[in-house]
């Protein structure tokens, strides 16, 4: 890549928040804002939706619900019994939906298909095959074509030379997908050729796709050399100091609204649920700097009749401690100082544990407290049944349910990378982070050194982990809200629809950012996206 050193990777997308059933099939698709519709007339109902001169359509595949779709600057359209955005689907995808008992988990205002054939890429690959094998090659037009169809056959030096002649004309996405296929098949020769071409096209200071490709290429190299785990663990990257990492996180937080979306939506839900409570206990499973709760303390201080007693239990991990430059006592001291200045009776408990280690006794729940539990971009780090027989993801949800919380808030990335096989997971990662890098690009110049450092330290590690690692070494395991909904309901939770004030709060917040950020409300949950792609969801449970 066009950078002097291999990117330094520490933190992760989940680290940005530090500042302020095994059977998941490919049809669990990421949700998209799209202006096209599927060609399956038996299952699709068109619904025109106008926002910023674009049209959207709907996939009518779920139980009827109301929704509200928002843009920034604010403009909304309300309808019922429909989901406002449509997927970009293939016929086979629709067939999978109709034959699946889990198709009711896919509903949301942003729908799409993960790991489905890319029409443009298929066309290019077909042309490549014709050039390599000649027009008389025995091919079947009914079958999808990939680079594997070409390079996995016995090949001569001349054929590889032809690949080198043709591949440079492909765009970055096509090259990355082709390279991922070669890596997936352990076709080292093909992968090395494509990586050498990619090396000349990526840049950490270029366009969004060029920047993302630099880190995707790093992940593909790691996977090719050692299936990910060894290389990922041994990346020789200088760890930034705590002050540097905080600075990088602050840059990302200021550039993008994803983490303000997380703590602002959760704060509104919690303060409304606790409106009449005199003793409040909040358990935050990724408390980080604790900044989220400073805003809530200020609000509670102004509550009619006087502020309630507030106890906060902060769960931590070593990464957050590194970012802070110290342990949880620093968070407790900061929050205690804010509470004292506001006149709010306050108590803080620290639980310096990962979510996998949390047990009932670590949470110090007491009789007479109204309990709120916050899961901010955290549960996807818990290994589930596909990784461990203990299944910490569902265990933790059942543990929380046993505490009888009054409200539980969940904010997660809207992506499908948990149990998806490598190639669908790769395409999903490419799609998801393309949108994220584009949104970052809108806020800072391309040559901005702070932006470059923030992406390297706070995003690249996640990308490499998803692509390069498997098993317990892969800690970035996102699921779509549909699957989270199933897990929570199986644990005994019921959804708690978000009030209009939550959407109004987020809409006001988005006025500070690019109008390409959009959010929508569907089935009681809130979705935040960039242009066509939903990137985060917020929901409440009891």
């Amino acid at each position: 890549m066009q950078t002097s050193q291999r990117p330094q990777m520490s933190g992760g997308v989940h680290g940005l928040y530090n500042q302020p059933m095994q059977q998941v099939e490919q049809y669990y698709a990421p949700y998209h804002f799209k202006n096209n519709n599927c060609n399956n007339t038996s299952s699709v109902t068109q619904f025109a939706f106008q926002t910023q001169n674009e049209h959207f359509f709907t996939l009518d595949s779920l139980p009827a619900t109301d929704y509200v779709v928002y843009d920034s600057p604010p403009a909304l359209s309300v309808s019922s019994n429909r989901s406002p955005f449509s997927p970009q689907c293939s016929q086979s995808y629709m067939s999978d939906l109709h034959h699946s008992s889990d198709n009711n988990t896919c509903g949301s205002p942003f729908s799409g298909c993960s790991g489905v054939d890319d029409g443009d890429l298929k066309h290019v690959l077909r042309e490549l095959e014709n050039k390599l094998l000649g027009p008389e090659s025995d091919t079947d037009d009914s079958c999808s074509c990939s680079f594997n169809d070409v390079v996995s056959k016995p090949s001569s030096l001349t054929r590889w030379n032809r690949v080198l002649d043709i591949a440079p004309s492909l765009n970055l996405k096509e090259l990355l997908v082709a390279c991922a296929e070669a890596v997936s098949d352990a076709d080292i020769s093909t992968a090395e050729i494509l990586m050498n071409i990619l090396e000349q096209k990526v840049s950490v200071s270029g366009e969004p796709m060029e920047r993302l490709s630099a880190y995707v290429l790093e992940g593909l190299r790691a996977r090719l050399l050692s299936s990910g785990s060894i290389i990922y663990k041994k990346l020789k990257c200088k760890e930034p100091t705590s002050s540097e990492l905080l600075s990088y996180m602050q840059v990302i937080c200021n550039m993008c609204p994803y983490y303000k979306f997380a703590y602002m939506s959760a704060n509104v839900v919690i303060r409304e649920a606790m409106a009449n409570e005199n003793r409040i206990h909040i358990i935050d499973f990724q408390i980080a700097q604790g900044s989220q709760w400073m805003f809530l303390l200020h609000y509670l201080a102004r509550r009619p009749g006087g502020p309630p007693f507030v106890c906060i239990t902060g769960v931590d991990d070593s990464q957050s401690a590194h970012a802070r430059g110290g342990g949880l006592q620093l968070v407790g001291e900061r929050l205690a100082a804010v509470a004292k200045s506001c006149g709010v009776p306050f108590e803080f408990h620290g639980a310096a544990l990962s979510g996998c280690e949390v047990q009932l006794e670590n949470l110090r729940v007491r009789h007479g407290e109204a309990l709120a539990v916050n899961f901010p971009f955290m549960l996807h780090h818990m290994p589930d049944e596909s990784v461990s027989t203990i299944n910490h993801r569902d265990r933790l949800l059942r543990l929380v349910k046993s505490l009888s919380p009054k409200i539980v808030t969940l904010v997660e990335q809207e992506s499908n990378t948990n149990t998806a096989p490598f190639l669908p997971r790769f395409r999903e990662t490419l799609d998801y982070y393309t949108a994220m890098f584009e949104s970052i690009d809108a806020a800072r110049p391309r040559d901005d050194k702070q932006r470059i450092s923030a992406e390297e330290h706070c995003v690249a590690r996640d990308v490499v982990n998803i692509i390069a690692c498997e098993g317990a070494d892969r800690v970035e395991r996102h699921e779509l809200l549909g699957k989270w909904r199933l897990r929570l309901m199986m644990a005994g939770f019921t959804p708690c629809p978000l009030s209009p004030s939550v959407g109004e709060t987020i809409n006001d917040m988005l006025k500070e950012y690019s109008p390409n950020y959009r959010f929508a409300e569907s089935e009681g949950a809130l979705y935040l996206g960039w242009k066509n792609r939903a990137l985060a969801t917020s929901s409440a449970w009891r």
Side-chain angles (χ1 to χ4, degrees):
M1 67 183 73
Q2 296 177 17
T3 179
S4 58
Q5 298 292 335
R6 174 175 291 182
Q8 300 175 7
M9 299 176 189
S10 178
V13 169
H14 58 277
L16 306 182
Y17 186 78
N18 288 344
Q19 173 59 29
M21 301 182 234
Q22 187 161 354
Q23 298 173 346
V24 179
E25 305 297 341
Q26 293 184 31
Y27 56 74
Y28 281 109
Y31 302 136
H32 294 260
F33 297 89
K34 284 293 183 183
N35 60 350
N36 51 12
N37 63 302
C38 301
N39 295 321
N40 190 324
T41 57
S42 65
S43 61
V44 179
T45 303
Q46 292 191 2
F47 176 79
F49 172 75
Q50 181 73 29
T51 175
Q52 297 192 358
N53 299 320
E54 296 184 35
H55 290 279
F56 299 92
F57 304 91
T58 181
L59 170 66
D60 185 11
S61 62
L62 292 179
T65 59
D66 291 347
Y67 71 83
V68 181
V69 178
Y70 306 81
D71 271 331
S72 179
L76 61 88
S77 175
V78 182
S79 182
S80 63
N81 299 321
R82 291 293 183 268
S83 128
F85 301 98
S86 73
Q88 183 179 19
C89 305
S90 67
Q91 187 74 21
S92 61
Y93 166 75
M94 295 305 302
S95 176
D96 287 344
L97 276 179
H98 290 298
H99 288 86
S100 169
S101 61
D102 292 335
N103 63 359
N104 63 341
T105 65
C106 300
S108 83
F110 319 91
S111 297
C113 300
S114 173
V116 183
D117 292 336
D118 186 318
D120 293 338
L121 181 57
K122 287 174 62 178
H123 176 72
V124 172
L125 298 181
R126 178 67 69 186
E127 287 186 352
L128 177 60
E129 182 177 32
N130 289 337
K131 290 180 179 179
L132 293 177
L133 303 181
E136 298 180 358
S137 61
D138 185 16
T139 60
D140 182 359
D141 290 338
S142 65
C143 300
S144 62
C145 177
S146 70
F147 270 96
N148 291 334
D149 298 329
V150 179
V151 298
S152 61
K153 300 175 181 179
S155 56
S156 65
L157 181 60
T158 301
R159 179 169 294 166
W160 291 124
N161 288 338
R162 290 177 179 173
V163 171
L164 286 172
D165 288 340
I166 298 169
S169 65
L170 303 178
N171 64 36
L172 275 172
K173 181 179 179 180
E174 293 162 347
L175 282 170
L176 288 169
V177 172
C179 189
E181 290 190 3
V183 171
S184 178
D185 286 351
D187 193 330
I188 297 176
S189 297
T190 303
E192 287 180 343
I193 291 172
L194 295 172
M195 286 179 182
N196 288 337
I197 296 171
L198 282 164
E199 183 74 27
Q200 307 305 313
K201 293 177 175 287
V202 304
S203 169
V204 296
S205 60
E207 297 179 356
M209 192 62 188
E210 292 174 337
R211 305 200 308 268
L212 172 60
S213 297
Y215 306 122
V216 171
L217 178 58
E218 188 80 14
L220 288 172
R221 279 203 180 103
R223 187 178 184 89
L224 180 67
L225 294 176
S226 64
S227 298
S229 58
I230 297 175
I231 288 293
Y232 180 69
K233 288 179 178 179
K234 292 184 178 181
L235 284 174
K236 300 300 183 181
C237 303
K238 176 186 175 183
E239 288 285 347
T241 65
S242 59
S243 59
E244 288 175 337
L245 187 52
L246 277 177
S247 176
Y248 302 145
M249 292 172 180
Q250 181 66 60
V251 169
I252 292 289
C253 190
N254 289 339
M255 287 192 297
C256 305
Y258 307 120
Y259 303 96
K260 288 183 181 178
F261 169 77
Y263 69 71
M264 292 179 74
S265 61
N267 277 3
V268 175
V269 170
I270 291 172
R271 83 186 189 201
E272 290 181 346
M274 300 297 180
N276 300 314
E277 300 295 341
N278 293 321
R279 295 185 65 86
I280 300 172
H281 186 175
I282 300 170
I283 300 175
D284 188 344
F285 273 93
Q286 188 165 293
I287 196 164
Q289 306 303 315
S291 303
Q292 171 177 353
W293 308 117
M294 296 179 184
F295 298 96
L296 186 62
L297 288 171
H298 279 287
Y299 175 85
L300 294 174
R302 303 189 300 270
R303 203 170 76 171
F309 171 84
V310 178
C311 173
I312 295 180
T313 295
V315 180
D316 192 29
D317 57 30
S318 59
Q319 187 177 65
S320 295
H322 173 73
R324 278 193 304 270
L328 281 169
Q329 74 278 2
L330 296 179
V331 178
E333 291 169 2
R334 291 180 68 196
L335 292 176
V338 172
K340 183 177 180 180
S341 69
C342 296
V344 177
F346 181 76
E347 185 177 308
F348 180 82
H349 299 150
L353 304 164
S354 73
C356 294
E357 299 171 308
V358 171
Q359 301 294 332
L360 178 62
E361 58 269 21
N362 303 125
L363 303 178
R364 301 189 186 185
V365 176
R366 296 172 292 203
H367 180 71
E369 297 175 330
L371 182 63
V373 177
N374 187 41
F375 288 115
F377 297 112
M378 173 267 176
L379 273 179
H380 72 269
H381 292 140
M382 298 298 98
D384 71 348
E385 67 277 8
S386 68
V387 181
S388 167
T389 56
I390 300 176
N391 189 359
H392 289 288
R393 188 168 298 198
D394 291 345
R395 179 193 70 83
L396 192 57
L397 289 175
R398 291 193 299 269
L399 173 61
V400 169
K401 181 58 181 176
S402 73
L403 303 176
S404 300
K406 188 163 187 180
I407 197 71
V408 173
T409 52
L410 172 70
V411 181
E412 276 294 346
Q413 291 165 251
E414 185 69 351
S415 184
N416 176 28
T417 62
N418 183 19
T419 58
F422 169 65
L423 283 176
R425 186 171 80 236
F426 178 85
R427 293 186 178 97
E428 166 75 340
T429 301
L430 200 58
D431 182 34
Y432 184 92
Y433 285 97
T434 294
M436 178 168 286
F437 272 70
E438 287 179 357
S439 69
I440 296 173
D441 191 66
R444 289 287 182 103
R446 300 235 168 112
D447 59 352
D448 185 277
K449 293 183 179 180
Q450 284 189 320
R451 179 202 53 74
I452 295 172
S453 295
E455 286 178 347
E456 289 178 349
H457 292 295
C458 300
V459 185
R461 186 183 176 97
D462 284 5
V463 173
V464 173
N465 184 255
I466 295 170
I467 293 173
C469 299
E470 296 293 349
D473 291 318
R474 183 157 60 85
V475 297
E476 300 299 326
R477 292 178 168 272
H478 308 106
E479 292 184 321
L480 303 178
L481 180 58
K483 187 59 185 289
W484 289 120
R485 184 178 287 116
L486 283 179
R487 289 190 185 277
L488 284 154
M489 294 177 70
M490 288 176 65
F493 290 98
T494 57
C496 181
L498 302 182
S499 72
S501 60
V502 182
E504 292 167 3
T505 299
I506 300 303
N507 197 47
D508 288 341
M509 179 267 290
L510 287 179
K511 293 176 183 177
E512 305 172 9
Y513 296 91
S514 167
N516 287 319
Y517 287 105
R518 301 173 183 172
F519 75 104
E521 186 173 355
S522 179
E523 297 206 22
L526 205 61
Y527 295 76
L528 175 66
W530 171 260
K531 293 183 179 179
N532 297 347
R533 173 71 196 231
L535 296 178
T537 64
S538 179
S539 57
W541 303 82
R542 60 164 60 97

